[in-house]
Amino acid sequence: MASSAPDEAAVLEVDDRQIRITSPDKVFFPGIGATKLDLAEFYLSIRDPFLRANGGRPSMMERYPDGASGKSFFQKRVPDHAPDWLQTAVVSTPNGTESNALVLADVSHVLWAVNLGCLGFHPWPSLSVTPQITNELRIDLDPQPGVTFDMVREAAFEVNSFLSECNMRAFIKTTGSRGLHIYIRLEPKYDSFVVRSAAVALAREMERRRPDLVTAQWWKEQRGTRVFIDFNQNAPHKTVFAAWAVRPRVGGQVSTPFSWDELATIDPEQLTIPVVVDRFRVSGDPWSDMVDQPQTLDPLLAFHRADQEAGLGDAPWPPVYPKMPGEPPRVAPSRAKKPTKDATTT
């Protein structure tokens, strides 16, 4: 329940805590007229599936203090004035910088972040209690310029068909924008380097199967009008936009889990705050049994070993990471130095 007076904070009674939402009537999503308080109440409405997908994970916050049409910034560190009950976890960046990040421990933590103007949660693929274990493989289908959503949809069908051949069960969601994310919950025994290797192998195999539609090429100049499988979203310390989280778009689109049966007809633009609340009330959580079916990466790691044995080295890493063993030169092919012809060669 929320209580407020004009121009005063709304107070939400949640799990024996009182969460204040200041400026509750501030419009955060002008395309649908949704306010800051509407956003808080949205997360209360979908608290169970949100926490099933993201609970216990550290999260970076994407803050828009004036709503989706205003200025924004990313915040990894929890501010010093945070309440005593707020759970945090130490996370680090590729260069070793550490910070205390918000843990999505319960819906009170989510609402605390909403009050700061958080319109985007970016959780780690590991739990705060086991940071060394990555328990999700996240397949990011990233449309390049000129790629239609129908092409992204087709790529998702192809990926799921391949994973089915590997006896791996995957779950899908919209990104809240133009792409799709495919998740596989993993047995708790892999680190992020192994998970990234599996993602690289999957991307390369998909490119071999559908080179007209899918690319595993890191350099933009080589991708063409294809769907890029961004394997580096599984690199250490990388985060992905959270399932069930509202995207910082004026229309209030939600990164929405859905069933594979819906893939042929799903329209991400229509999945806004009120629509997603109604969907959940009617159909429930399509990811409800994800946590009960952790998967092995063995099939994808077999493809990875086959690529290595065939002489295919590691894929490029993002520039913020240290140089990795077996990694090719970090320079776009068009900028690479061409070998010079030996003057004595005939």
Side-chain angles (χ1 to χ4, degrees):
M1 295 290 292
S3 61
S4 66
D7 301 322
E8 293 183 0
V11 179
L12 300 172
E13 300 283 348
V14 183
D15 299 334
D16 298 324
R17 296 190 183 111
Q18 291 188 333
I19 309 298
R20 297 178 74 251
I21 305 297
T22 58
S23 303
D25 297 327
K26 180 183 287 187
V27 175
F28 266 20
F29 305 97
I32 58 173
T35 65
K36 188 178 185 182
L37 182 58
D38 292 330
L39 179 62
E41 291 179 337
F42 167 77
Y43 284 115
L44 284 173
S45 298
I46 53 93
R47 61 189 294 175
D48 289 343
F50 181 92
L51 292 173
R52 204 159 24 238
N54 307 298
R57 299 182 186 278
S59 179
M60 183 162 55
M61 297 181 289
E62 188 177 358
R63 291 181 57 185
Y64 287 72
D66 294 318
S69 58
K71 294 182 179 180
S72 67
F73 58 95
F74 284 92
Q75 183 171 338
K76 187 177 295 183
R77 293 176 175 84
V78 167
D80 293 336
H81 57 76
D84 293 341
W85 52 261
L86 201 77
Q87 294 185 33
T88 63
V90 176
V91 297
S92 63
T93 60
N95 64 12
T97 302
E98 293 186 341
S99 58
N100 284 327
L102 172 70
V103 174
L104 300 174
D106 57 32
V107 73
S108 297
H109 287 69
V110 177
L111 299 184
W112 173 85
V114 166
N115 188 51
L116 296 182
C118 181
L119 299 192
F121 294 97
H122 298 256
W124 265 251
S126 56
L127 299 175
S128 63
V129 294
T130 51
Q132 73 282 6
I133 296 174
T134 298
N135 74 343
E136 284 184 344
L137 169 63
R138 299 164 172 183
I139 302 164
D140 181 13
L141 301 182
D142 184 6
Q144 300 306 289
V147 170
T148 66
F149 186 70
D150 281 340
M151 294 171 67
V152 180
R153 198 192 315 267
E154 185 179 0
F157 275 122
E158 294 286 350
V159 170
N160 192 44
S161 176
F162 168 58
L163 292 172
S164 296
E165 291 177 24
C166 296
N167 294 315
M168 300 179 73
R169 187 179 180 199
F171 296 79
I172 190 168
K173 71 179 180 73
T174 66
T175 64
S177 187
R178 298 178 58 241
L180 291 170
H181 289 156
I182 298 173
Y183 277 44
I184 299 173
R185 186 62 61 90
L186 302 176
E187 296 174 350
K189 61 181 183 181
Y190 304 107
D191 65 22
S192 53
F193 292 93
V194 173
V195 175
R196 179 187 176 274
S197 293
V200 170
L202 180 144
R204 286 171 167 171
E205 179 62 17
M206 295 312 305
E207 184 181 60
R208 285 189 284 263
R209 293 182 176 214
R210 288 297 306 271
D212 60 316
L213 177 67
V214 174
T215 179
Q217 300 304 310
W218 175 248
W219 300 107
K220 291 183 179 180
E221 65 187 38
Q222 295 182 310
R223 294 177 190 171
T225 309
R226 293 181 290 178
V227 178
F228 171 50
I229 299 183
D230 189 354
F231 48 84
N232 274 329
Q233 293 289 29
N234 295 276
H237 316 296
K238 291 288 284 183
T239 61
V240 172
F241 198 85
W244 301 101
V246 183
R247 201 86 189 194
R249 300 179 61 194
V250 295
Q253 282 80 10
V254 180
S255 181
T256 309
F258 61 93
S259 70
W260 285 102
D261 291 341
E262 296 180 275
L263 178 56
T265 57
I266 202 78
D267 182 356
E269 291 298 303
Q270 300 302 314
L271 297 173
T272 60
I273 290 171
V275 172
V276 171
V277 170
D278 288 342
R279 276 174 56 91
F280 174 61
R281 286 174 180 163
V282 172
S283 303
D285 178 9
W287 285 17
S288 61
D289 59 347
M290 176 194 280
V291 297
D292 300 324
Q293 301 186 33
Q295 309 283 298
T296 176
L297 280 176
D298 287 352
L300 296 182
L301 295 177
F303 279 90
H304 173 67
R305 287 191 296 272
D307 285 343
Q308 288 183 313
E309 291 168 1
L312 197 58
D314 196 2
W317 286 68
V320 294
Y321 288 81
K323 185 70 174 177
M324 299 294 179
E327 183 188 356
R330 288 186 187 175
V331 58
S334 63
R335 298 174 63 87
K337 292 183 179 180
K338 303 293 189 295
T340 56
K341 187 175 182 180
D342 192 320
T344 60
T345 302
T346 59

